[in-house]
């Protein structure tokens, strides 16, 4: 039986449109969809901040005047707890797809090594990154370098998903 594992992402809107349920989504770098006051910890949506942000203003909380920070993870901040909960899934995976990343900063840099050696890893990226830069690659690795969107379209064509992907893109 096919087991679906979480998607590591920082784009909630794109993954929800792709049909990934929220409980399977790990926003490892956080999200711009929500924000939190740095003083009173009040919650805000992107829609509430959009006006200030688009005008180049720092959003402030209407309750306490504190600065409102998007719920993204800055360098040096803790990753969400949910990220660590799903690390145990990597050794169980049957396939790893790596898209649009540098794989330079830990813990992400070593994620591609956490799957078994027999597991195919598909890299669709501008450049070779992480352990996929080593020669020789693992025997089941697939590398598609260049434009990520074009690479994803090529993968969807090979899988017979062209019509579904085109319909999704036309809706967006």
């Amino acid at each position: 039986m096919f087991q679906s594992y979480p998607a590591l992402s920082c784009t909630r809107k794109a993954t929800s449109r792709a049909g990934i349920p929220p409980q399977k989504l790990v926003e490892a770098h956080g999200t711009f969809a929500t924000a939190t006051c740095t003083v009173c910890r009040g919650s805000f949506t992107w829609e509430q901040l959009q006006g200030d942000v688009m005008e180049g203003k720092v959003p402030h909380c209407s309750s306490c005047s504190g600065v409102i920070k998007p719920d993204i993870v800055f360098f040096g901040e803790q990753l969400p707890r949910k990220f660590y909960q799903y690390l145990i899934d990597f050794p169980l995976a049957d396939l790893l797809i790596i898209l649009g990343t540098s794989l330079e900063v830990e813990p992400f840099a070593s994620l591609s090594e956490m799957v078994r050696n027999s597991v195919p890893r598909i890299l669709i990226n501008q450049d070779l990154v992480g352990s996929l830069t080593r020669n020789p690659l693992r025997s089941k690795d697939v590398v598609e370098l260049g434009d990520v969107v074009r690479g994803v379209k090529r993968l969807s064509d090979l899988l017979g998903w062209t019509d579904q992907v085109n319909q999704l893109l036309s809706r967006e």
Side-chain angles (χ1 to χ4, degrees):
M1 183 174 150
F2 176 74
Q3 175 66 41
S4 173
Y5 293 100
L8 294 175
S9 173
C10 61
T11 55
R12 175 181 302 171
K13 198 171 185 181
T15 51
S16 65
R17 285 185 289 204
I20 299 172
Q23 67 273 18
K24 294 283 188 178
L25 176 62
V26 178
E27 294 176 300
H29 288 296
T31 180
F32 279 102
T34 58
T36 303
C37 175
T38 58
V39 177
C40 72
R41 310 299 298 158
S43 296
F44 298 86
T45 65
W46 164 248
E47 290 75 22
Q48 291 173 291
L49 308 176
Q50 188 173 7
D52 281 347
V53 171
M54 298 312 281
E55 292 176 22
K57 298 178 186 174
V58 174
H60 285 85
C61 180
S62 56
S63 298
C64 73
S65 299
V67 172
I68 300 172
K69 175 193 171 292
D71 292 334
I72 58 170
V73 178
F74 288 120
F75 187 79
E77 292 182 328
Q78 284 292 105
L79 294 174
R81 194 172 307 144
K82 195 174 181 183
F83 172 83
Y84 297 101
Q85 291 171 338
Y86 285 112
L87 284 180
I88 61 170
D89 291 335
F90 279 82
L92 305 172
D94 296 317
L95 172 68
L96 179 63
I97 301 174
I98 306 162
L99 299 166
T101 181
S102 67
L103 288 183
E104 288 186 5
V105 178
E106 291 296 344
F108 296 95
S110 57
L111 291 178
S112 65
E113 290 296 304
M114 294 181 69
V115 295
R116 292 166 286 141
N117 285 336
S118 61
V119 171
R121 301 177 302 174
I122 299 174
L123 173 69
I124 301 174
N125 210 36
Q126 195 67 37
D127 302 298
L128 280 174
V129 291
S131 63
L132 286 105
T133 60
R134 296 190 192 114
N135 265 329
L137 292 172
R138 292 181 183 178
S139 64
K140 295 185 179 181
D141 285 346
V142 175
V143 174
E144 176 75 19
L145 296 181
D147 181 73
V148 172
V149 172
R150 191 176 11 197
V152 170
K153 284 182 178 180
R154 183 163 184 257
L155 176 62
S156 68
D157 292 345
L158 292 169
L159 294 171
W161 297 347
T162 304
D163 291 341
Q164 295 95 321
V165 170
N166 286 339
Q167 288 172 8
L168 179 65
L169 291 173
S170 69
R171 285 197 309 262
E172 301 306 321

